[in-house]
Amino acid sequence: VGLRVVLAVGEGDDIAPSLAERAPGMDIVRVREGDSLPDALAEADALVCNRLEPADTRAARRLRLVQATSAGADRVDPAALPPGCALCNAYEHEDAIAEWVLMAVLALTHHLLVYDRGLREGNWSRGLPLERELRRRTIGTLGFGHIGRRVVELARPFGMDAVAVTRSPTPERARAGGLRWLGSLEERDRLFAEADVAVVCVPLTDETHDAVGAAQLGALGADGYLVNVARGAVVQEQPLYEALRDRRIAGAALDVWWKYPETRGAAAAPSAYPFHELDNVVMTPHVSGRSEGTRRGRTAFVVAQLVRLAEGRPLENVLAVGS
Amino acid sequence: VGLRVVLAVGEGDDIAPSLAERAPGMDIVRVREGDSLPDALAEADALVCNRLEPADTRAARRLRLVQATSAGADRVDPAALPPGCALCNAYEHEDAIAEWVLMAVLALTHHLLVYDRGLREGNWSRGLPLERELRRRTIGTLGFGHIGRRVVELARPFGMDAVAVTRSPTPERARAGGLRWLGSLEERDRLFAEADVAVVCVPLTDETHDAVGAAQLGALGADGYLVNVARGAVVQEQPLYEALRDRRIAGAALDVWWKYPETRGAAAAPSAYPFHELDNVVMTPHVSGRSEGTRRGRTAFVVAQLVRLAEGRPLENVLAVGS
């Protein structure tokens, strides 16, 4: 099948053996820490990676596919795509992330972190305010793709009502998704006003950058919860911190952040603001999509995509094409 | 309507005003800290309480109803019931507890407490084992009453399979509950062998005391999770602690305990064993049923029950009758 496939640092462990088994003719090049990615790409047909800069592809003569191994491919610079080269992403994380969202909402409304921490010190205090159950509350998703749809599927059996906004709303999508209404991104203020729980699950784009700020948090209100599983930069950092600190919203569950460690494994605060001091926040280090199912599903998708490329069939999940 | 109703310490705040509005003819006696319960019961027709001893009713001449304000009425001694007096309980907590169960299962499988604690200290380590999603896992409930049914209703949309054991299994109940099978309490070893998540939600009785021990935990296995929202004494304390410590089961979520504070608000370890040192445990101070909905629902139930008594209609939720 002759294709040369480059697997960037960290991307090979599952894909290499699976690809070797499924498409034995492919020439698989695994890039290790310290190797030159530009050199490896010179004669490559496809690259599997999660970040890419223009300098990386300066010598890439025949690259036709940059396959990201996650859904948010915002660390792959489209300017790095040689002419005609496709950038594709991979999903398969919707079960894991939707589970995380329901977990986080319930952990907030049931005061899990406060009660667990207290009882570990022998404190039986049950003085926290009684919460309503999820029944008859409204969940609103900012974004209604793979994740938003699955979140709504899981939330409705709890008795929740659902609304959403998305780039391309249609009555059919609203009906199929079991929504009370589905609006455009411009209608997000209405979403935050109606939602008791607002879930951010849109891709980060120019249009969604800073899309959640003081106005939206004000509309969410003192009984409202915010969940972010998209990208930190969709939400404005300082207004969110202040709304939480001053209890102008009830709580937030954050898996994505404004600051990430420079090097893997280094210690680093995830924000310029001390979210870690707040007890109405659930915080995790960008793990909501991590699961066996996500890993297995993505490996299978990437391998099938490379086989499609080798066989000249149309690619799936094309986000952009280099020009 | 002439009925004299005694509201025990702590039981009056919601019920008294609601009762006064709904049944203005009733004589409502609120017992305060320091008052004599036996004296108050001498001429009472009904008592609303959560604990009762034989000495309390020694002078009760015409008591016909002891209405507990929770589902587990195991602190009301049936020997305290005068002849012909009914002991009834109240549910309305199934939404809140089933939410807590799903929260706890997801918090365990997504390593919530470990990730949250770590990131608060700037630790981004994601080295914990990848978990499977709930899809295709099996949830097994020990008990299939109000709580078990609601847990299964909420778990199935996640893609879980469900099995249960109960005192009175019938094929109809299995079908209506969406179960793969419904067995008797004697079949609990099969339940623990098949379940990835075992949820204890049976009343504490002679039959269920210590029902979960080393054999059942061994059958649950190293990938299995235990959840207890019933009573601590249904589960054997030392075998559970050791199974968790030695990772012979994957984790546990415990809302009910073997030791409670002697006086309300006092600090006290909930077990003779250091569960608080374990990071594969989610622990809360008997709060899973606490919610606005539970409180509202129970108040409405108790008031309706007292009206039934006043009007001579049959009582609901009768657990025992004094002989």
Side-chain angles (χ1 to χ4, degrees):
Chain A
V1 206
L3 223 56
R4 171 171 288 194
V5 176
V6 172
L7 306 177
V9 175
E11 303 297 348
D13 290 356
D14 293 327
I15 292 166
S18 180
L19 195 56
E21 188 188 329
R22 176 82 190 281
M26 286 191 198
D27 177 16
I28 302 170
V29 179
R30 291 190 62 172
V31 178
R32 313 280 177 175
E33 208 74 62
D35 291 353
S36 160
L37 182 58
D39 289 355
L41 290 180
E43 302 296 329
D45 300 288
L47 166 66
V48 177
C49 67
N50 250 320
R51 64 164 75 197
L52 194 66
E53 294 166 10
D56 294 327
T57 55
R58 60 178 184 253
R61 254 182 280 268
R62 55 182 223 226
L63 194 65
R64 285 180 290 153
L65 168 64
V66 172
Q67 174 65 53
T69 52
S70 64
D74 44 280
R75 291 193 302 172
V76 176
D77 185 343
L81 298 173
C85 177
L87 166 62
C88 300
N89 68 345
Y91 298 98
E92 317 296 336
H93 56 179
E94 50 270 21
D95 267 9
I97 296 184
E99 284 188 0
W100 189 96
V101 169
L102 268 294
M103 169 199 77
V105 171
L106 292 166
L108 287 167
T109 59
H110 287 260
H111 309 300
L112 172 63
L113 299 178
V114 176
Y115 281 133
D116 178 272
R117 194 166 51 235
L119 189 57
R120 283 175 195 270
E121 293 163 2
N123 177 2
W124 290 73
S125 165
R126 313 197 302 182
L128 291 169
L130 282 184
E131 284 279 347
R132 282 184 291 152
E133 292 86 350
L134 297 187
R135 193 184 289 285
R136 281 184 287 274
R137 292 207 206 189
T138 296
I139 193 164
T141 69
L142 181 65
F144 198 60
H146 293 72
I147 296 169
R149 287 199 301 272
R150 185 64 180 148
V151 165
V152 168
E153 275 176 19
L154 293 180
R156 291 187 70 226
F158 284 84
M160 298 190 89
D161 223 15
V163 300
V165 296
T166 182
R167 266 174 299 185
S168 43
T170 65
E172 294 69 41
R173 291 185 67 198
R175 233 183 342 265
L179 300 174
R180 204 169 68 222
W181 57 264
L182 175 64
S184 67
L185 292 177
E186 288 69 41
E187 294 172 82
R188 66 183 190 277
D189 285 10
R190 179 183 169 201
L191 181 102
F192 280 88
E194 292 189 16
D196 299 294
V197 176
V199 180
V200 179
C201 50
V202 274
L204 176 62
T205 63
D206 289 345
E207 199 184 1
T208 63
H209 193 274
D210 280 347
V212 181
Q216 290 72 35
L217 297 170
L220 189 58
D223 293 326
Y225 293 96
L226 183 78
V227 178
N228 191 0
V229 288
R231 286 290 181 268
V234 178
V235 178
Q236 294 174 40
E237 191 172 6
Q238 181 174 358
L240 177 61
Y241 171 73
E242 291 175 353
L244 287 164
R245 183 196 59 193
D246 302 341
R247 309 278 156 160
R248 284 183 278 109
I249 69 171
L254 305 173
D255 184 49
V256 292
W257 297 93
W258 299 271
K259 288 178 18 181
Y260 282 76
E262 293 287 319
T263 56
R264 211 179 181 83
S271 166
Y273 297 88
F275 283 90
H276 63 274
E277 294 176 356
L278 302 176
D279 67 5
N280 55 347
V281 172
V282 164
M283 49 197 291
T284 59
H286 207 136
V287 294
S288 64
R290 276 173 57 90
S291 77
E292 283 189 11
T294 301
R295 182 161 148 171
R296 200 170 46 239
R298 287 185 176 171
T299 298
F301 178 85
V302 169
V303 168
Q305 181 87 310
L306 292 166
V307 170
R308 280 190 283 274
L309 182 70
E311 297 179 350
R313 288 186 286 125
L315 299 174
E316 295 184 7
N317 296 0
V318 177
L319 296 180
V321 177
S323 56
Chain B
V1 209
L3 222 58
R4 172 171 287 196
V5 177
V6 172
L7 307 177
V9 175
E11 304 296 349
D13 289 356
D14 293 329
I15 292 166
S18 181
L19 194 56
E21 188 188 329
R22 176 79 190 282
M26 286 193 198
D27 177 17
I28 303 169
V29 179
R30 291 190 62 171
V31 179
R32 313 280 176 174
E33 208 76 62
D35 292 351
S36 159
L37 183 57
D39 289 354
L41 290 180
E43 302 298 329
D45 301 288
L47 166 66
V48 178
C49 68
N50 248 321
R51 63 165 76 197
L52 194 67
E53 293 167 11
D56 295 326
T57 55
R58 59 175 184 256
R61 258 181 276 269
R62 55 180 221 229
L63 195 65
R64 286 180 288 153
L65 168 64
V66 172
Q67 175 64 53
T69 52
S70 64
D74 44 282
R75 293 192 301 172
V76 176
D77 185 345
L81 298 173
C85 177
L87 167 63
C88 300
N89 68 347
Y91 298 97
E92 317 296 335
H93 57 181
E94 51 270 21
D95 267 8
I97 297 184
E99 284 188 1
W100 189 96
V101 169
L102 269 293
M103 169 200 79
V105 170
L106 291 166
L108 288 166
T109 59
H110 288 260
H111 309 300
L112 172 62
L113 299 179
V114 176
Y115 281 133
D116 179 90
R117 193 166 52 236
L119 187 57
R120 282 174 197 270
E121 293 163 1
N123 177 1
W124 290 73
S125 165
R126 314 196 303 181
L128 291 168
L130 282 186
E131 285 278 347
R132 284 183 291 150
E133 291 87 351
L134 298 187
R135 194 183 289 285
R136 280 184 286 276
R137 293 206 205 191
T138 297
I139 194 162
T141 68
L142 182 65
F144 198 59
H146 293 71
I147 297 169
R149 288 199 301 273
R150 184 64 182 149
V151 165
V152 169
E153 275 177 18
L154 292 180
R156 293 186 69 227
F158 285 84
M160 298 191 90
D161 223 14
V163 301
V165 297
T166 183
R167 268 174 298 185
S168 44
T170 66
E172 294 68 40
R173 290 186 66 198
R175 237 188 335 270
L179 300 173
R180 205 169 67 222
W181 57 265
L182 175 64
S184 67
L185 291 177
E186 289 67 42
E187 295 173 82
R188 66 182 191 278
D189 286 9
R190 180 183 169 203
L191 181 101
F192 280 88
E194 292 189 16
D196 300 294
V197 176
V199 180
V200 179
C201 49
V202 274
L204 176 62
T205 63
D206 289 349
E207 199 184 2
T208 63
H209 194 274
D210 281 347
V212 180
Q216 289 72 35
L217 297 170
L220 188 59
D223 294 327
Y225 292 96
L226 183 78
V227 178
N228 190 0
V229 287
R231 285 290 181 268
V234 178
V235 178
Q236 294 174 39
E237 192 172 4
Q238 182 174 358
L240 176 61
Y241 172 73
E242 290 174 355
L244 286 164
R245 182 196 60 193
D246 303 341
R247 310 279 156 160
R248 284 182 279 109
I249 69 171
L254 306 173
D255 183 49
V256 292
W257 298 93
W258 299 272
K259 289 180 11 185
Y260 282 76
E262 293 288 319
T263 56
R264 210 178 182 82
S271 167
Y273 298 88
F275 282 91
H276 63 275
E277 294 175 355
L278 302 176
D279 68 5
N280 55 347
V281 173
V282 163
M283 50 197 290
T284 59
H286 207 133
V287 294
S288 64
R290 275 173 57 89
S291 78
E292 283 190 12
T294 302
R295 182 162 147 171
R296 200 170 46 237
R298 286 184 178 172
T299 298
F301 178 84
V302 170
V303 168
Q305 182 88 310
L306 292 166
V307 170
R308 280 189 284 273
L309 182 71
E311 297 179 351
R313 288 185 286 127
L315 299 174
E316 296 184 7
N317 297 359
V318 177
L319 297 178
V321 177
S323 57

